[in-house]
């Protein structure tokens, strides 16, 4: 049976950061991801990132993915794309399913001493009548079609949700030649960064605030959408309905952590609305209530690619240290990463996430969840 | 609707492959997912549900939701959004849970 | 103008896309005493379809919370079991005869 010090599940920014640091510390690392290539959602991010140089500011997501994958390969990480983790058994055994059809035996088992879960997040939905019609899809689906496959999901597009995903995807679809008919959000103000909203406003895209999609109608595909204003309880107000003729509705209403594998490992969970809902409790070393399991990235609270990368690096350093790897420099490295995360979690959008993260850490302490000291 | 002009992405010349949706030939690009190829050809209904028979197409686009299920070369329940096209592939829209070995 | 434009909006959306379970059925289950995602699943089949509740669990959570049930109680789910995603039986018998496509069906 194949053995590794550390198994990392999920090859997005969090998983790549974790694998890179653990391998650099000297651990043998296996990184698995179900997609044909590593990089997670970074390949769909064709806009330039903000922040500092250490967070690849000014670079586009797909370039950052290439950089990280190359760094992981140089560090000696064994990369297994098109491989899905199906579960765990006693004594640290894992079942991995290869999705590449050239492999004769597709279900394989392996052993690892520590596991870092970087399974990311999934998109939330809103259920309105007609949301099952073809043409209604998540913003991520539209982003995948346009930015990975070069195919527009539709010609006339309405977006529900004014968070960064809705705003960015809206702008990207306009760049690709689609008509964005509007952004709808129940909130009284735009939820995402103003810099993204400004790009849409400049292009005269209406932003319908305090409104929601009441119904999508069509025979075999969306043909029209009824939107209406909402009251203080987010319920539609009679008489405010208007009809928009469109062929596509995108749902950009937030993300929630993908917790299935963490739940299987018995990691204690909590519900933290500010970080996307149900998620595993973890301490500052990213260790969960199961001492062999570490978490990072959106699974450990939905934030951003840059925070996922830093958290992944933290998890990688600590999991490697728990296996006996790493030198004295790791303490300074951990301190630098924690200060970097603090910087990322500041300002109007970052502060609530910082507070939520602190609450998770305190909950971990109360529950006696403490990773191995390094 | 293919994107032919983009301010950021390089649109590389793609190798063309032919696949079949319900026996109709469809021009696809090599490395297209089945979903991308169908949508590029203006097809948005991929299957009909087992209970009420309502039409469904792409929803999550990343293999999570299982709404884009089609029959591929006689094999039902293939997720169109995460399966790549291949020259000559026979795709059929799926009804309900599909059937193993549905005649082509 | 189609006839549809004159009809009043429908108000009972599907919640579980796979099993086609509507909001009214979820609310009825809550009325019958279901207090968590897992209880609703067993009562209505919402979340028992091909995707295994990946989309609807969160929606059901929201309906439960809106009905006054605490988030910590509402989120209770069944423990994830092996295999955590549906996969073809051929994955277990070492046979790859089924593999006519690049990705196995779910």
């Amino acid at each position: 049976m194949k053995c590794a010090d550390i198994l990392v599940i999920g090859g997005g920014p969090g998983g790549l950061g974790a694998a890179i640091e653990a391998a650099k510390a000297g651990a043998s690392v296996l990184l698995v991801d179900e997609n044909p290539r590593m990089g997670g959602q970074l390949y769909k991010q064709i806009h330039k990132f903000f922040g500092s140089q250490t967070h690849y500011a000014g670079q586009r997501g797909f370039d950052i993915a290439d950089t990280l994958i190359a760094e992981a390969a140089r560090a000696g990480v064994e990369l297994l794309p098109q491989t899905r983790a199906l579960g765990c058994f006693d004594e640290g055994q894992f079942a991995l399913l290869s999705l590449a059809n050239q492999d004769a035996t597709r279900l394989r088992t392996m052993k690892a001493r520590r596991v870092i879960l970087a399974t990311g997040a999934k998109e939330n939905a809103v259920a309105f009548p007609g949301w099952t019609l073809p043409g209604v899809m998540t913003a991520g689906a539209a982003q995948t079609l346009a930015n990975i496959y070069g195919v527009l999901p539709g010609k006339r597009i309405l977006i529900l949700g004014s968070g960064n995903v809705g705003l960015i995807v809206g702008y990207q679809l306009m760049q690709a030649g689609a008509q964005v008919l509007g952004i709808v959000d129940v909130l009284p103000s735009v939820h995402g960064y103003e810099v993204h909203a400004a790009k849409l406003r400049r292009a005269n895209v209406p932003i319908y605030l305090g409104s929601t999609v009441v119904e999508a109608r069509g025979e075999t595909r969306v043909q029209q959408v009824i939107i209406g204003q909402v009251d203080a309880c987010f319920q539609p107000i009679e008489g405010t309905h208007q009809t928009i003729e469109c062929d596509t509705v995108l749902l950009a209403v937030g993300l929630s952590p993908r917790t299935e594998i963490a739940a299987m490992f018995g990691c204690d969970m909590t519900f933290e609305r500010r970080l996307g809902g149900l998620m595993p409790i973890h301490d500052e070393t990213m260790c969960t209530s199961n001492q062999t399991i570490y978490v990072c990235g959106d699974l450990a609270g939905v934030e951003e690619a840059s925070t996922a990368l830093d958290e992944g690096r933290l998890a990688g350093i600590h999991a490697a240290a728990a296996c006996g790897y790493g030198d004295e420099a790791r303490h300074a490295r951990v301190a630098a990463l924690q200060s970097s995360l603090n910087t990322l979690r500041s300002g109007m959008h970052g502060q609530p996430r910082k507070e939520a993260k602190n609450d998770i850490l305190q909950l971990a302490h109360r529950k006696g969840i403490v990773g191995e000291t390094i | 609707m293919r994107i032919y002009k983009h301010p950021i992405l390089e649109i590389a010349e793609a190798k063309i492959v032919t696949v079949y949706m319900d026996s109709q030939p469809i021009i696809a690009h090599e490395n297209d997912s089945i979903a991308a190829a169908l949508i590029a050809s203006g097809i948005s209904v991929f299957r009909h549900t087992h209970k009420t028979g309502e039409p469904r197409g792409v929803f999550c686009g990343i293999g999570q939701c299982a709404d884009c299920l089609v029959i591929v070369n006689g094999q039902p329940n293939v997720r169109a959004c995460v399966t790549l096209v291949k020259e000559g592939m026979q795709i059929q829209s799926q009804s309900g849970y599909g059937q193993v070995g549905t005649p082509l | 103008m189609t006839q549809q434009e004159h009809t009043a909006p429908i108000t009972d959306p599907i919640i579980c896309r796979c099993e086609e379970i509507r909001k009214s059925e979820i609310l009825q289950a809550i009325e019958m005493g279901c207090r968590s995602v897992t209880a609703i699943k067993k009562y209505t089949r919402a979340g028992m379809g091909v995707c295994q509740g990946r989309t609807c669990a969160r929606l059901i959570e929201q309906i439960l919370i809106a009905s006054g049930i605490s988030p910590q109680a509402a989120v209770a789910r069944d423990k994830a079991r092996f295999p955590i995603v549906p996969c073809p039986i051929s994955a277990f018998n070492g046979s790859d005869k089924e593999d006519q496509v690049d990705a196995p069906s779910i």
Side-chain angles (χ1 to χ4, degrees):
Chain A
M1 188 185 296
K2 190 175 182 62
C3 292
D5 290 315
I6 292 168
L7 169 67
V8 183
I9 299 175
L16 282 166
I20 289 167
E21 292 298 327
K24 278 186 178 167
S28 60
V29 182
L30 189 66
L31 173 60
V32 300
D33 190 287
E34 62 186 345
N35 294 294
R37 58 178 168 180
M38 299 286 167
Q41 305 308 308
L42 283 172
Y43 275 105
K44 298 167 195 173
Q45 312 305 322
I46 61 170
H47 59 282
K48 288 180 179 170
F49 279 52
F50 313 141
S52 62
Q53 283 305 313
T54 49
H55 297 113
Y56 306 96
Q59 285 196 48
R60 300 187 192 277
F62 47 83
D63 291 328
I64 300 172
D66 286 343
T67 306
L68 290 173
I69 293 166
E71 196 183 344
R74 272 200 310 277
V77 175
E78 189 181 339
L79 301 163
L80 270 185
Q82 285 194 282
T83 303
R84 214 168 212 193
L86 286 189
C88 57
F89 303 102
D90 291 346
E91 294 154 18
Q93 277 192 45
F94 301 92
L96 303 175
L97 178 73
S98 169
L99 303 174
N101 78 340
Q102 46 269 52
D103 293 13
T105 330
R106 304 193 312 181
L107 190 69
R108 288 181 284 189
T109 50
M110 60 93 59
K111 265 187 172 182
R113 295 165 68 194
R114 295 290 183 281
V115 182
I116 301 172
L117 299 178
T119 48
K122 58 181 179 238
E123 290 184 276
N124 294 336
V126 178
F128 47 81
W131 75 299
T132 54
L133 272 172
V136 181
M137 64 180 82
T138 66
Q143 200 178 32
T144 307
L145 284 169
N147 295 352
I148 303 284
Y149 296 109
V151 172
L152 281 176
K155 286 178 183 146
R156 295 167 58 80
I157 298 169
L158 185 73
I159 298 175
L160 179 57
S162 71
N164 284 328
V165 173
L167 299 173
I168 290 171
V169 171
Y171 187 67
Q172 288 176 353
L173 291 170
M174 284 174 61
Q175 286 182 313
Q179 198 183 345
V180 176
L181 301 175
I183 311 263
V184 181
D185 201 312
V186 288
L187 295 174
S189 59
V190 169
H191 191 48
Y193 293 149
E194 185 49 40
V195 61
H196 296 310
K199 287 181 184 171
L200 291 162
R201 286 209 187 92
R202 278 199 295 275
N204 294 320
V205 174
I207 301 182
Y208 301 96
L209 295 169
S211 300
T212 194
V213 171
V214 178
E215 187 183 350
R217 292 176 175 181
E219 291 297 323
T220 57
R221 174 170 191 139
V222 179
Q223 288 165 318
Q224 50 179 225
V225 171
I226 298 162
I227 66 168
Q229 289 169 19
V230 293
D231 61 21
C233 303
F234 301 130
Q235 295 306 308
I237 303 169
E238 287 285 333
T240 63
H241 292 178
Q242 58 176 304
T243 303
I244 294 174
E245 306 283 328
C246 61
D247 59 16
T248 304
V249 181
L250 303 184
L251 309 181
V253 289
L255 301 158
S256 25
R258 276 178 71 176
T259 54
E260 293 93 352
I261 303 180
M264 194 169 188
F265 280 117
C267 300
D268 284 348
M269 302 278 176
T270 187
F271 186 86
E272 177 47 78
R273 195 188 299 273
R274 293 165 292 181
L275 294 171
L278 192 68
M279 50 171 280
I281 304 170
H282 59 84
D283 74 347
E284 48 272 84
T285 71
M286 307 312 293
C287 186
T288 66
S289 64
N290 179 334
Q291 274 227 319
T292 61
I293 310 298
Y294 292 73
V295 289
C296 61
D298 280 355
L299 169 64
V302 175
E303 296 188 78
E304 294 172 342
S306 36
T307 44
L309 182 56
D310 278 356
E311 274 194 345
R313 290 186 191 276
L314 273 180
I317 293 169
H318 284 105
C323 294
Y325 298 99
D327 54 24
E328 280 308 307
R330 68 179 182 265
H331 299 289
R333 185 94 181 98
V334 165
L337 285 165
Q338 267 157 357
S339 116
S340 156
L341 278 168
N342 256 325
T343 312
L344 288 170
R345 291 177 187 137
S346 58
M348 188 177 75
H349 293 274
Q351 190 62 30
R353 288 188 275 122
K354 184 189 281 178
E355 286 163 14
K357 270 282 177 185
N358 282 338
D359 288 350
I360 300 279
L361 296 184
Q362 280 174 18
L363 183 59
H365 285 248
R366 281 203 302 279
K367 287 193 156 241
I369 297 170
V370 189
E372 283 164 69
T373 43
I374 62 167
Chain B
M1 294 137 275
R2 296 260 174 209
I3 302 166
Y4 289 106
K5 234 177 69 187
H6 199 287
I8 296 161
L9 292 171
E10 281 173 46
I11 308 290
E13 188 97 345
K15 199 185 148 201
I16 298 293
V17 295
T18 305
V19 298
Y20 299 85
M21 174 63 165
D22 293 330
S23 305
Q24 295 299 309
I26 280 172
I27 303 300
H29 288 182
E30 194 181 29
N31 295 327
D32 269 355
S33 66
I34 294 174
L38 294 181
I39 286 178
S41 303
I43 297 168
S44 45
V45 178
F46 290 21
R47 71 172 183 114
H48 290 89
T49 60
H50 67 281
K51 225 164 140 181
T52 59
E54 65 171 47
R56 294 285 173 87
V58 171
F59 180 68
C60 81
I62 51 167
Q64 288 271 312
C65 76
D67 246 329
C68 62
L69 300 180
V70 289
I71 303 169
V72 175
N73 297 335
Q75 184 185 328
N77 300 317
V78 175
R79 290 163 303 165
C81 68
V82 291
T83 307
L84 302 184
V85 294
K86 246 185 195 170
E87 177 64 44
M89 190 180 251
Q90 291 283 349
I91 307 158
Q92 289 169 278
S93 53
Q94 180 169 323
S95 192
Y97 296 123
Q99 215 184 342
V100 177
T102 307
L104 292 174
Chain C
M1 205 177 242
T2 62
Q3 219 176 0
Q4 272 195 328
E5 285 176 62
H6 301 292
T7 54
I10 310 162
T11 50
D12 190 16
I14 284 178
I15 298 296
C16 170
R17 298 172 69 93
C18 303
E19 290 295 315
E20 299 168 78
I21 308 295
R22 293 187 180 273
K23 187 175 182 181
S24 57
E25 294 170 77
I26 308 290
L27 290 172
Q28 195 193 0
I30 296 171
E31 214 163 279
M32 295 304 287
C34 296
R35 290 289 175 269
S36 63
V37 171
T38 178
I40 301 261
K41 173 178 165 181
K42 283 159 189 160
Y43 191 80
T44 64
R45 282 196 67 80
M48 274 192 191
V50 268
C51 92
Q52 294 285 292
R54 279 176 170 75
T55 307
C56 68
R58 190 67 207 262
L59 293 169
I60 294 168
E61 233 170 71
Q62 287 164 358
I63 297 172
L64 283 159
I65 293 168
S67 305
I69 293 153
S70 83
Q72 300 292 352
V75 294
R77 313 230 170 124
D78 284 332
K79 191 177 164 157
R81 290 188 182 84
F82 174 87
I84 59 155
V85 284
C87 56
I89 202 77
S90 61
F92 301 97
N93 63 12
S95 150
D96 58 353
K97 279 185 194 137
E98 194 192 342
D99 288 357
Q100 292 155 1
V101 290
D102 276 339
S105 51
I106 56 164

